[in-house]
Amino acid sequence: MFGIIDCNNFYASCQRAFDPSLEGKPIVVLSNNDGCVIARSNEAKALGIEMGTPAFQIATYTKSVGVQAFSSNYTLYGDMSDRVVAAIASMVDRYEVYSIDECFVDLSGYEHYTKDIYEYAWMIKERIRRWTGIPVSIGIATTKTLAKVANRRAKKNPAYGGLYMIQSKTEIERALDGFDIGDLWGIGRQYVRKLKEFGCKDALHFAQQSEAWVAKNMTVQGLRLLKELNGQPCYDLELIPDRKKAICTARSFGELTQSKDVVREALANYAANCAKKLRKEGSIANLMTIFLHTNQYREQDRQYYGHKTIHLPKATSFTPDLIHSAHQVLDMLWQDGLNFKKVGCIVSGLQPEEHRQAQLFTDIDWEKEQKAMRALDTVNGWYGKDTVKVAAQGFGRKWKMLQERLSPCYTTRWSDLITAKC
């Protein structure tokens, strides 16, 4: 039996976990630079606030109905996600972290600990709530695709209390009857349109099609989906995440800038972030792409979009080397007199660190570089991000994103710890 554990309105729930006064109030979370709505609580959805609503329109809701708006606090969300996973890992042996707010689990065999799997899932649900304050919905079924269907029913119908299980053929048919094909896990818009043209009115109708017809019209991916909807597992848990093919760090500036020094400082920080991510997963990069562009929506400005990819002198995750290469590319792309909006760094051509190809003249300091980066990551892990950093990363941070409504980093910054007064 597979389960999918999905955090309810995750970003909004993270804000509520540390501020109980927000319970029952409409909450929205804004995108980078407080641009538009990217997350909503149920109360905000009930008010008709849509995803992508510009932030300036939220001010009206704030005055009239008390909508609480927050800047994206990815540090808080990432740490709370890790805590939810830790709670899950304390109760199941096999799990797959699917996204920041979703986790697949293997619930097979746990009925021996309780009356049944359903009760054990309730115990997981309650432990997550007790340990983190985050409410979750759990869908349980014999396949991952059906578990996603069950999870959607658990979230949409309050009568289920956030937990729904599909097991028998009758339960499968009941769950798929009236379930929109477009809401099925792993099916794209092209196939949705195609299926509706063929007359498939819902997921149940699709599940009743013949394997030969699906294989002919939807290839092997569609055939796997068909089998999963009929209770035949085709996808197991991915216990070891695939290595990334590329890593990107890019942010829009809080305000437009014509200063090359500001852009250089921002790019140094983005390259350092890519280097940190490379080391975290034990990879090194062969290629680097830098892009730099203006704001396409400002018609009064001269527009520019520059990008360039280079081969690095050696495959590396050494922060100073990546910053140096990034600055070299920036010199090639730079144009004076433009109002720049965004710069970004992408490292690709990734390979495992242990597969590094030795070079005759450039490997002499490899071990020293490794030791230096381990020391840097250890210190920053203990005392906070950028406690130790390369001088090129600077201290001005004039490029920092606009985050006027940023909440405290309650779990990762000493100064933001909540003080309880008794």
Side-chain angles (χ1 to χ4, degrees):
M1 298 293 289
F2 292 98
I4 174 73
I5 301 172
D6 186 3
C7 300
N8 299 338
N9 306 315
F10 181 56
Y11 289 180
S13 294
C14 287
Q15 302 295 162
R16 280 182 174 151
F18 298 94
D19 187 354
S21 68
L22 295 174
E23 286 291 341
K25 294 182 180 178
I27 298 173
V28 297
V29 177
L30 305 175
S31 62
N32 291 343
N33 288 304
D34 295 344
C36 61
V37 173
I38 59 169
R40 307 158 293 162
S41 67
N42 288 334
E43 295 82 2
K45 294 174 185 176
L47 291 173
I49 298 176
E50 301 288 341
M51 291 287 280
T53 300
F56 70 87
Q57 293 182 10
I58 299 301
T60 304
Y61 288 100
T62 300
K63 293 179 181 178
S64 59
V65 292
V67 171
Q68 304 292 312
F70 293 92
S71 301
S72 299
N73 189 338
Y74 297 117
T75 301
L76 174 65
Y77 307 149
D79 187 69
M80 291 300 289
S81 176
D82 291 343
R83 290 166 186 254
V84 170
V85 172
I88 293 170
S90 72
M91 296 194 71
V92 297
D93 296 323
R94 300 181 74 244
Y95 60 91
E96 171 194 339
V97 179
Y98 184 63
S99 68
I100 193 172
D101 62 348
E102 291 180 289
C103 188
F104 281 107
V105 293
D106 181 358
L107 294 174
S108 304
Y110 289 99
E111 62 269 21
H112 301 305
Y113 293 88
T114 57
K115 294 178 181 178
D116 53 31
I117 291 176
Y118 189 86
E119 183 178 339
Y120 197 73
W122 267 112
M123 293 169 61
I124 297 174
K125 187 178 185 322
E126 287 306 306
R127 175 168 292 189
I128 294 171
R129 178 74 182 198
R130 189 167 63 251
W131 284 19
T132 67
I134 302 296
V136 301
S137 297
I138 304 179
I140 307 169
T142 52
T143 71
K144 292 172 81 172
T145 304
L146 283 175
K148 290 285 283 186
V149 172
N151 182 267
R152 191 172 183 84
R153 290 180 71 91
K155 294 187 77 167
K156 295 297 182 181
N157 192 333
Y160 297 132
L163 181 57
Y164 190 83
M165 185 163 69
I166 300 172
Q167 200 163 11
S168 67
K169 182 175 177 60
T170 302
E171 290 170 338
I172 292 175
E173 293 177 352
R174 187 186 305 128
L176 297 181
D177 187 18
F179 193 91
D180 194 303
I181 296 173
D183 291 332
L184 287 174
W185 179 55
I187 189 167
R189 295 180 181 177
Q190 183 178 351
Y191 279 131
V192 170
R193 184 171 61 251
K194 193 173 186 179
L195 287 170
K196 290 187 176 180
E197 288 173 356
F198 280 122
C200 287
K201 58 181 182 179
D202 57 21
L204 178 60
H205 194 186
F206 170 69
Q208 293 170 340
Q209 302 302 310
S210 69
E211 291 187 8
W213 182 88
V214 173
K216 178 182 178 181
N217 291 281
M218 296 182 65
T219 68
V220 68
Q221 198 70 16
L223 186 58
R224 288 173 180 164
L225 175 61
L226 178 73
K227 290 182 176 181
E228 287 254 326
L229 290 177
N230 283 286
Q232 303 175 48
C234 295
Y235 303 107
D236 198 0
L237 297 184
E238 296 180 12
L239 303 179
I240 302 176
D242 292 335
R243 284 183 180 272
K244 294 182 176 70
K245 295 181 180 179
I247 293 173
C248 174
T249 301
R251 299 281 188 276
S252 294
F253 304 136
E255 56 185 31
L256 300 178
T257 183
Q258 294 185 6
S259 170
K260 188 176 182 180
D261 289 339
V262 170
V263 176
R264 280 175 63 87
E265 183 178 302
L267 185 57
N269 281 272
Y270 299 162
N273 195 42
C274 287
K276 178 183 175 182
K277 291 179 180 179
L278 283 170
R279 295 193 294 272
K280 186 175 181 180
E281 68 168 34
S283 297
I284 49 179
N286 285 288
L287 301 171
M288 172 180 282
T289 301
I290 302 299
F291 61 87
L292 175 68
H293 63 79
T294 54
N295 187 344
Q296 60 178 325
Y297 299 108
R298 284 176 58 91
E299 296 180 358
Q300 68 270 35
D301 289 350
R302 182 159 65 90
Q303 298 298 312
Y304 173 76
Y305 184 94
H307 63 94
K308 186 174 181 61
T309 301
I310 62 167
H311 280 273
L312 295 170
K314 62 177 180 179
T316 186
S317 61
F318 187 52
T319 297
D321 283 352
L322 290 177
I323 291 177
H324 178 69
S325 295
H327 283 169
Q328 285 184 321
V329 179
L330 178 63
D331 291 338
M332 301 175 197
L333 296 175
W334 185 258
Q335 292 191 17
D336 289 323
L338 297 181
N339 289 321
F340 288 107
K341 176 65 175 175
K342 188 174 185 177
V343 69
C345 175
I346 305 171
V347 290
S348 55
L350 308 191
Q351 65 186 59
E353 191 176 81
E354 59 270 19
H355 293 173
R356 177 182 59 88
Q357 179 67 47
Q359 297 182 8
L360 183 58
F361 299 109
T362 58
D363 272 11
I364 188 168
D365 292 326
W366 174 260
E367 289 189 11
K368 290 183 179 179
E369 291 177 357
Q370 293 286 86
K371 289 179 180 178
M373 291 300 98
R374 279 196 295 270
L376 181 144
D377 292 338
T378 299
V379 171
N380 288 336
W382 275 102
Y383 296 103
K385 182 180 178 182
D386 290 340
T387 300
V388 178
K389 58 184 178 180
V390 177
Q393 293 179 247
F395 298 93
R397 299 184 72 84
K398 294 181 180 179
W399 45 270
K400 189 178 179 182
M401 290 190 302
L402 181 67
Q403 293 178 306
E404 294 180 344
R405 301 178 176 91
L406 186 66
S407 60
C409 295
Y410 298 103
T411 62
T412 57
R413 187 177 296 159
W414 288 110
S415 60
D416 290 349
L417 286 178
I418 291 177
T419 301
K421 297 181 179 179
C422 303

